[in-house]
Amino acid sequence: DSGVTQTPKHLITATGQRVTLRCSPRSGDLSVYWYQQSLDQGLQFLIQYYNGEERAKGNILERFSAQQFPDLHSELNLSSLELGDSALYFCASSVFGGTSYEQYFGPGTRLTVT
Amino acid sequence: DQQVKQNSPSLSVQEGRISILNCDYTNSMFDYFLWYKKYPAEGPTFLISISSIKDKNEDGRFTVFLNKSAKHLSLHIVPSQPGDSAVYFCAASIRGYSTLTFGKGTMLLVSP
């Protein structure tokens, strides 16, 4: 158990809809990262938050947005969903600023868009 | 443009033998490398890492080798065990930046 929790585990929704994925980082971790893993793809970095502020952006679509709240949990919002958004979405956390670059991953949310 | 490449989608090894998983990178700015292991229905878990100031790092049965001139790293698992069967992801980062760039992964199957 990494200490990172994600809800829900599975989500099935229709095209055009909007969903919110939730992540709680490990206790003490200030950084949260979101990744997308599509079929046959590696983990694609989407976005990073550190202590409530956006820190880095990767291949995140404009239809997607995220935020990190004062209690450090994070939400990833996906809107105007398309079939191609079906994927596993992982959240990870780390202690940013130290010498450790390891990220600790949650179990993921499997999103199916029909 | 994939900056971290794992060219072997899968690898099969017998229990007790050595497993060698390979990873190549193209961005010469990368100076910290990590390996993650992923079981089905779970998130990736950190396995071992290496800084670019080293060429080898060992942790029990796992050893990572880094060849900076070739922009190549490899993960050796000796001896391989059936419980090692998983997808292995290579990742790279630039010191000072905490984001990781991942390869597509190699599925390792260790048979008894």
Side-chain angles (χ1 to χ4, degrees):
Chain A
D1 184 354
S2 67
V4 178
T5 59
Q6 288 187 251
T7 56
K9 281 185 95 73
H10 302 277
L11 201 46
I12 301 174
T13 189
T15 54
Q17 295 298 304
R18 172 189 168 97
V19 296
T20 298
L21 313 184
R22 183 188 167 105
C23 168
S24 292
R26 290 187 323 157
S27 176
D29 284 357
L30 299 179
S31 249
V32 169
Y33 310 78
W34 286 98
Y35 291 87
Q36 179 192 58
Q37 185 183 20
S38 304
L39 199 63
D40 296 331
Q41 293 294 316
L43 291 148
Q44 300 286 318
F45 168 67
L46 296 178
I47 197 164
Q48 177 202 0
Y49 276 81
Y50 172 69
N51 205 20
E53 302 280 330
E54 182 184 303
R55 180 59 66 104
K57 239 176 179 174
N59 301 321
I60 188 165
L61 299 171
E62 282 193 16
R63 301 184 284 108
F64 296 1
S65 65
Q67 53 184 326
Q68 186 179 29
F69 295 86
D71 67 352
L72 300 178
H73 91 271
S74 177
E75 292 181 356
L76 178 67
N77 300 296
L78 315 175
S79 62
S80 303
L81 285 167
E82 302 175 359
L83 295 176
D85 297 328
S86 295
L88 265 171
Y89 290 84
F90 289 103
C91 165
S93 71
S94 74
V95 179
F96 180 73
T99 56
S100 168
Y101 287 77
E102 293 84 9
Q103 295 179 13
Y104 296 86
F105 284 77
T109 293
R110 181 171 291 282
L111 174 66
T112 303
V113 183
T114 61
Chain B
D1 175 31
Q2 273 229 293
Q3 298 186 63
V4 177
K5 299 177 186 178
Q6 295 177 257
N7 292 320
S8 298
S10 63
L11 175 68
S12 290
V13 169
Q14 280 196 310
E15 182 178 7
R17 307 293 288 267
I18 184 171
S19 295
I20 300 176
L21 297 102
N22 293 304
C23 177
D24 297 294
Y25 61 96
T26 58
N27 188 342
S28 56
M29 299 285 289
F30 288 142
D31 56 5
Y32 196 80
F33 304 90
L34 307 90
W35 285 92
Y36 280 80
K37 179 169 73 173
K38 184 183 179 306
Y39 292 117
E42 294 182 12
T45 55
F46 170 73
L47 194 56
I48 192 168
S49 62
I50 187 166
S51 162
S52 61
I53 63 172
K54 295 185 174 183
D55 53 21
K56 176 181 172 182
N57 189 27
E58 201 168 344
D59 183 1
R61 297 186 296 114
F62 302 91
T63 303
V64 56
F65 295 92
L66 175 62
N67 182 334
K68 288 187 291 292
S69 60
K71 294 193 180 72
H72 176 84
L73 61 154
S74 60
L75 174 68
H76 293 212
I77 306 173
V78 184
S80 301
Q81 299 173 354
D84 296 329
S85 298
V87 177
Y88 289 79
F89 290 99
C90 170
S93 80
I94 300 170
R95 195 165 285 278
Y97 296 87
S98 55
T99 58
L100 297 177
T101 301
F102 282 85
K104 290 188 178 184
T106 296
M107 180 179 294
L108 173 66
L109 177 62
V110 181
S111 52

